[in-house]
Amino acid sequence: MHKFVSLFMGMTLSFLSFSYAQQNNQQSPENGSIQGKLMDEQTNAPIEYASVAILRSVDSSVVTGMLSKPNGDFNFPVIPTGKYLLKVNFIGYSTVYKAIALTSKNNIIDVGNIKLGTNAKVLAAVEIVGEKPAYTMAIDKRVFNVEKNISSVGGTATDVLKQVPAVSVDIDGNVTVRNGSPTIFVDGRPTTLTMDQIPADAIANIEVITNPSAKYDAEGVSGILNIVLKKNRKAGINGQVNAGISSLGGANGGFDFSIRREKFNLSLSYNVRSRKGSSKEHLFRKNIGTDTTTYLDQYENGDQSRKFQYGRIGFDWFMDNRNTFSISTSINAGDFRDDNNLTLYNLNTGKEQVRYGSGVDNDNHNFRNYAGQLGYKHTFAKQGHELTADFNYNYATSNDGSDYSLQYYTLDHVAIDTPTAPAKRYAYGGGNTTYVTGQIDYVNPLSENSKVEAGLRTTSRIFNNTLTTMGLNNATGNYVFDSSLSNNYHYKETINAGYISYSGQLGSFGYMGGLRGEQSYYSGDMTSTTKSNYKISYPISLFPSMFLSQKFKGDHELQLNYTRRVRRPWFRDLLPNLNYTAQSASRGNPTLKPEFTNSFEFSYLKDFNRKHNVMVSLYFRNTKNAITDYSSDTTITVNGVAQKVVLTYPVNADTRNAYGAEFTVRNQLTKDWDVTTNLNMAQTKINASNLQTNLTNSGFIFFGKINTNYKLPYRTTLQVTGIYESKQIMAQGERAGKYTVDAALRKEFLKDRSLVVSMGINDIFNTDRSINYTNTDYSEQEYYRKRATREARLNVSWRFGKIDAGKKKENKKGEEQGGNGDF
């Protein structure tokens, strides 16, 4: 670890030294600089964000380019000596060319104020659309524009992901893509946050990368979901405020605010959200004994309360045209409470009730997450040649508590008091997590058709958790420590990685090959169990990737790619903490190993006049040591008393194979109506013969989603999303299929459309639920879970800006000393 960190820091310092040397060589005889200012010919106002390009005189090829700054300035500090054409182009203005000759004697040229005149023909033909499409597809990535999604306004990242084509989200917030678990990033980096902890109003885009290259983490069987948060860098003062209410008794509010000057950008954001709801659970289990069969019929109903807060402040320093430094910090807080009433019935062989139990199962949880990011980016003189480095720090704390009681009664409502009844216990505890990431990436275009990319990365996560459970001793009437439901757990994970890739192009044929190496180390220690500690050190694993693409005339493309992926157990998968309710229990598995997947994908993308897009992908995934849930009939000791339960925990099955096809079609049917349809079909087979003789399960599954947007009169938009998910295959059973429908309306007010009112209804038919069927040698179980998902939300947002923050005062003293001004 120390060697890797030393290498990481050494590489960073070497690149920074090289960058500094590059800047100090700007005034060498071989290089020069070009600068100037763009102004409107009639008003003399500066023109910002105009395209300024340096072309070679001999063949008009592009050397480099930039957009003019808010004050109209542009500056190219490192240009090799020679003859060039300066090209200025901006919509609504006539294009301007200027000939420039840089020599060793005259290597600093100021072209002065370039005045642009309006082009009447261009202005007459221009139609300003000003809207990004809701969903864009490329051969390697698909991007979902959250701003265009109405149904998720006022919700969380979970609500957003439910709207993204190809993404499936269950009622617990578990995310899958193509029936596999993806890695979820925030701004391209790992996160300690769950999807319910990220407000939807803070998200700009969702990027879906189904088969990532070597540049990305190898973690994630079905690729990467990257949540891109909003970062406002518009000139001047800009912002947005929003507020909303929910039919379930929840509310939300927040603001985004930014100030952008020439060299600085400051952004602030804050969101608060509360949510209330109810939950229902029903468990029906057939217990198959050696001489008799009994049944358990269990019900759990309750109320849920959720409160979230999210705040972020970011600062960007545009040091010059080549260097940018960024720093940001965020705080995320949440408070949860679940109050549940528990009722269960014990039935005999004839399914007749013999006794019943009544009690409560309450939980509360709160967390605080503190994050900080440092970033640096250097762009070299050659276009596309850049270096980026960043450091991310996350620290989270949590507190947990629970209260459980269960009293059995006869059918005549007489309390049954035995050594095991009534059962009462309470628990308290907490924990903390430290997550640190450091990364450096380097890109160097070797020619116009080839480039090399390389990078290093290290991550470290330390997790500590304690839980103390006190159970009632019926004989003494005192509460005593219950070691079976308590823990004192410490977990550490370190992953070091490096990658290199090369890409090139031969005419319309493109190729890219890469290799990523990752080394991982895990250790865990639990003082309250017999198996108190473990250490797992995996040597360097190699993850190759290969991408081949062929473009054809008529805007269509073929691509074939291969990557090797890994899914490492998350700390909660490894946590051997026992959760017990009535006659059911679950825990983690400290012996769980990572699963490795070979992923193949063949894709075809066709664009029809930018109105219709079709993407077809055929894929195959072969997974070894597949992580899956396993249930067994066992006896556990709770508060000193033996209890027979069905225990569920994650295990490694031999293999899991999946092959399927995905179809995504986006149609702009009319100017006002677009429809995006996604369909995924797959055949899945799980082989768990290593756990139990001839234990295999297979089946055909499919998933479909349709998003449609229709622009109604009076600046109103209607959005409808429909989802259908077939049954899902598990090693010992299956999960039943389901469907949901969401709808929302959006209305824009004011001349500049800055005031927006949206109203949405999620899960209109109240059909979102989970039903699992599990079969073991000694039990058959059906488990139904339902949360309050049908929800109406009303939200109002107001966007303001651009506002001039005031002109800089003239620095006369500076002019007398050199007169460089804003340059």
Side-chain angles (χ1 to χ4, degrees):
M1 174 64 184
H2 294 294
K3 293 182 179 180
F4 186 90
V5 173
S6 300
L7 177 61
F8 180 87
M9 295 302 297
M11 185 174 180
T12 303
L13 292 174
S14 298
F15 272 116
L16 294 179
S17 300
F18 179 70
S19 303
Y20 180 77
Q22 289 286 311
Q23 296 177 66
N24 286 342
N25 288 333
Q26 288 181 6
Q27 300 306 322
S28 66
E30 293 78 20
N31 293 317
S33 66
I34 302 172
Q35 62 191 38
K37 188 181 186 74
L38 305 182
M39 301 178 66
D40 187 284
E41 188 178 56
Q42 296 180 353
T43 65
N44 287 325
I47 299 176
E48 61 178 315
Y49 303 132
S51 173
V52 185
I54 303 295
L55 313 178
R56 292 185 179 89
S57 294
V58 291
D59 56 2
S60 296
S61 60
V62 177
V63 178
T64 186
M66 67 173 293
L67 297 179
S68 59
K69 299 177 182 179
N71 62 356
D73 288 345
F74 63 89
N75 183 20
F76 300 95
V78 183
I79 301 294
T81 56
K83 295 183 178 181
Y84 300 95
L85 285 175
L86 177 71
K87 179 182 177 181
V88 179
N89 184 38
F90 192 54
I91 189 169
Y93 292 88
S94 300
T95 303
V96 174
Y97 292 88
K98 279 186 175 292
I100 296 174
L102 285 176
T103 64
S104 57
K105 294 182 179 180
N106 186 22
N107 65 346
I108 300 177
I109 294 180
D110 188 340
V111 297
N113 295 336
I114 299 177
K115 295 188 176 183
L116 303 183
T118 58
N119 187 329
K121 292 183 178 180
V122 172
L123 286 175
V126 169
E127 179 184 357
I128 305 296
V129 178
E131 292 187 9
K132 296 179 181 178
Y135 190 65
T136 56
M137 294 184 290
I139 203 74
D140 60 340
K141 179 168 60 177
R142 283 162 281 178
V143 180
F144 183 78
N145 182 8
V146 178
E147 185 182 17
K148 304 295 292 183
N149 185 259
I150 311 172
S151 300
S152 60
V153 174
T156 67
T158 301
D159 300 300
V160 175
L161 290 173
K162 288 179 180 178
Q163 306 298 317
V164 179
V167 178
S168 174
V169 184
D170 65 17
I171 62 171
D172 296 314
N174 299 312
V175 181
T176 58
V177 176
R178 293 181 178 175
N179 321 303
S181 300
T183 295
I184 297 180
F185 284 169
V186 173
D187 288 334
R189 297 293 180 263
T191 179
T192 58
L193 300 175
T194 65
M195 296 303 95
D196 268 338
Q197 297 173 7
I198 304 175
D201 299 323
I203 303 174
N205 298 310
I206 302 290
E207 298 177 344
V208 183
I209 310 172
T210 54
N211 222 12
S213 67
K215 179 178 180 179
Y216 298 93
D217 273 17
E219 178 78 27
V221 173
S222 59
I224 290 174
L225 286 178
N226 185 29
I227 298 175
V228 182
L229 300 180
K230 293 178 180 178
K231 296 179 185 65
N232 194 345
R233 289 184 174 179
K234 296 180 180 179
I237 299 176
N238 295 271
Q240 178 175 292
V241 293
N242 62 81
I245 57 174
S246 161
S247 61
L248 295 178
N252 63 278
F255 68 87
D256 299 290
F257 179 75
S258 72
I259 303 175
R260 170 68 188 269
R261 297 309 301 251
E262 183 183 357
K263 289 185 176 295
F264 304 99
N265 181 72
L266 177 67
S267 60
L268 300 168
S269 64
Y270 174 78
N271 284 274
V272 60
R273 181 176 181 270
S274 65
R275 190 171 191 176
K276 297 180 180 180
S278 60
S279 63
K280 296 180 180 180
E281 297 184 18
H282 178 214
L283 171 68
F284 188 83
R285 184 167 67 230
K286 178 181 180 181
N287 300 308
I288 306 172
T290 55
D291 54 359
T292 185
T293 298
T294 61
Y295 298 88
L296 171 66
D297 193 13
Q298 178 177 306
Y299 298 85
E300 190 166 326
N301 300 310
D303 297 313
Q304 298 177 331
S305 174
R306 304 284 187 267
K307 294 180 180 180
F308 301 94
Q309 294 185 76
Y310 174 81
R312 183 182 184 275
I313 179 171
F315 178 77
D316 301 295
W317 177 27
F318 308 101
M319 304 160 64
D320 52 38
N321 288 342
R322 299 290 179 201
N323 300 280
T324 301
F325 174 77
S326 301
I327 182 172
S328 64
T329 184
S330 62
I331 299 176
N332 198 294
D335 298 278
F336 307 158
R337 184 170 182 85
D338 296 333
D339 295 321
N340 301 293
N341 295 318
L342 177 65
T343 303
L344 59 85
Y345 301 90
N346 292 122
L347 288 70
N348 59 21
T349 302
K351 296 185 179 181
E352 298 171 325
Q353 294 181 1
V354 295
R355 67 173 182 172
Y356 75 94
S358 178
V360 297
D361 186 8
N362 302 330
D363 294 284
N364 62 80
H365 168 74
N366 67 66
F367 72 90
R368 302 293 184 267
N369 186 90
Y370 310 92
Q373 298 86 31
L374 292 174
Y376 170 76
K377 181 176 182 179
H378 175 77
T379 57
F380 298 88
K382 182 167 56 176
Q383 189 172 6
H385 189 192
E386 62 183 36
L387 165 75
T388 58
D390 59 66
F391 174 82
N392 294 261
Y393 175 83
N394 282 269
Y395 179 74
T397 62
S398 65
N399 290 289
D400 303 277
S402 65
D403 178 24
Y404 176 87
S405 68
L406 180 63
Q407 173 69 64
Y408 282 99
Y409 299 87
T410 67
L411 296 183
D412 294 328
H413 311 293
V414 178
I416 302 175
D417 294 324
T418 68
T420 62
K424 293 184 178 181
R425 63 178 179 269
Y426 67 90
Y428 58 90
N432 60 76
T433 303
T434 303
Y435 198 6
V436 179
T437 302
Q439 180 160 338
I440 184 169
D441 296 286
Y442 176 70
V443 182
N444 187 5
L446 304 178
S447 67
E448 292 184 0
N449 296 320
S450 65
K451 68 177 179 180
V452 63
E453 299 179 73
L456 295 173
R457 176 175 176 176
T458 182
T459 63
S460 176
R461 174 161 44 193
I462 299 174
F463 174 78
N464 302 295
N465 187 78
T466 61
L467 181 66
T468 300
T469 302
M470 305 296 292
L472 178 66
N473 185 316
N474 293 312
T476 64
N478 298 323
Y479 282 87
V480 297
F481 178 74
D482 189 347
S483 61
S484 63
L485 297 178
S486 303
N487 70 65
N488 186 355
Y489 186 71
H490 309 276
Y491 168 82
K492 184 177 181 181
E493 167 192 288
T494 301
I495 302 174
N496 301 319
Y499 74 91
I500 186 169
S501 67
Y502 175 83
S503 59
Q505 191 164 339
L506 299 173
S508 59
F509 177 75
Y511 57 91
M512 181 173 66
L515 183 65
R516 186 179 185 90
E518 294 189 353
Q519 181 269 343
S520 55
Y521 172 83
Y522 307 85
S523 64
D525 176 45
M526 187 168 182
T527 60
S528 56
T529 60
T530 304
K531 186 177 178 61
S532 60
N533 61 74
Y534 66 89
K535 291 185 178 180
I536 306 173
S537 180
Y538 292 99
I540 295 178
S541 298
L542 298 180
F543 300 92
S545 62
M546 175 62 70
F547 295 80
L548 304 174
S549 66
Q550 177 65 56
K551 295 182 179 180
F552 302 93
K553 294 181 179 179
D555 290 328
H556 57 134
E557 180 179 354
L558 284 173
Q559 186 181 81
L560 176 66
N561 57 56
Y562 159 78
T563 63
R564 187 172 187 249
R565 312 289 300 164
V566 64
R567 178 193 170 190
R568 300 181 180 88
W570 205 37
F571 71 88
R572 293 195 181 277
D573 296 324
L574 300 168
L575 184 65
N577 181 41
L578 183 67
N579 296 309
Y580 171 73
T581 302
Q583 298 179 25
S584 299
S586 63
R587 64 166 174 81
N589 181 4
T591 65
L592 203 62
K593 299 178 181 179
E595 64 176 34
F596 291 89
T597 299
N598 291 303
S599 179
F600 301 85
E601 184 174 335
F602 179 70
S603 300
Y604 172 77
L605 178 64
K606 171 63 178 175
D607 178 76
F608 297 89
N609 299 321
R610 302 185 182 275
K611 292 185 177 181
H612 307 280
N613 305 89
V614 178
M615 186 172 184
V616 181
S617 297
L618 305 177
Y619 61 90
F620 171 72
R621 294 196 303 262
N622 169 254
T623 302
K624 296 182 178 180
N625 291 331
I627 297 175
T628 187
D629 285 337
Y630 183 76
S631 298
S632 64
D633 302 275
T634 187
T635 300
I636 63 174
T637 301
V638 179
N639 201 27
V641 179
Q643 301 280 355
K644 185 177 180 180
V645 300
V646 175
L647 180 65
T648 302
Y649 53 96
V651 295
N652 290 109
D654 270 341
T655 60
R656 179 177 58 242
N657 291 325
Y659 55 90
E662 183 179 14
F663 305 86
T664 306
V665 181
R666 182 181 181 275
N667 292 303
Q668 191 71 42
L669 300 178
T670 67
K671 183 180 67 174
D672 300 321
W673 186 22
D674 69 84
V675 179
T676 300
T677 306
N678 176 261
L679 175 64
N680 176 54
M681 302 180 294
Q683 179 73 23
T684 300
K685 181 177 181 180
I686 299 177
N687 180 6
S689 299
N690 60 313
L691 305 173
Q692 184 179 324
T693 304
N694 297 324
L695 179 58
T696 62
N697 198 8
S698 62
F700 176 78
I701 59 177
F702 64 94
F703 171 82
K705 184 178 295 187
I706 182 168
N707 301 70
T708 181
N709 295 275
Y710 190 83
K711 294 181 181 179
L712 300 170
Y714 308 107
R715 297 179 177 178
T716 304
T717 303
L718 170 66
Q719 182 180 87
V720 179
T721 302
I723 304 171
Y724 181 82
E725 185 174 349
S726 73
K727 66 179 182 180
Q728 300 295 304
I729 304 301
M730 300 183 295
Q732 295 170 286
E734 62 184 43
R735 182 181 297 119
K738 66 177 183 178
Y739 73 93
T740 59
V741 178
D742 302 334
L745 275 172
R746 171 189 173 105
K747 168 69 175 172
E748 298 174 336
F749 296 89
L750 303 183
K751 186 176 181 180
D752 59 354
R753 306 189 180 204
S754 58
L755 181 64
V756 178
V757 177
S758 60
M759 183 178 67
I761 303 178
N762 290 356
D763 194 14
I764 296 175
F765 302 107
N766 203 27
T767 52
D768 193 7
R769 81 291 183 266
S770 174
I771 303 178
N772 290 348
Y773 302 97
T774 306
N775 299 317
T776 71
D777 289 340
Y778 302 101
S779 66
E780 298 175 2
Q781 177 174 291
E782 176 184 332
Y783 183 35
Y784 168 90
R785 296 183 64 231
K786 179 78 176 76
R787 291 182 177 180
T789 53
R790 180 160 58 190
E791 178 185 24
R793 291 201 293 257
L794 177 66
N795 284 270
V796 180
S797 66
W798 175 59
R799 184 184 66 255
F800 58 89
K802 164 189 166 188
I803 302 173
D804 190 358
K807 297 181 179 179
K808 287 185 177 180
K809 295 182 179 180
E810 295 292 335
N811 187 350
K812 295 183 179 180
K813 183 177 180 181
E815 292 175 354
E816 292 173 359
Q817 292 177 344
N820 287 330
D822 289 338
F823 294 122

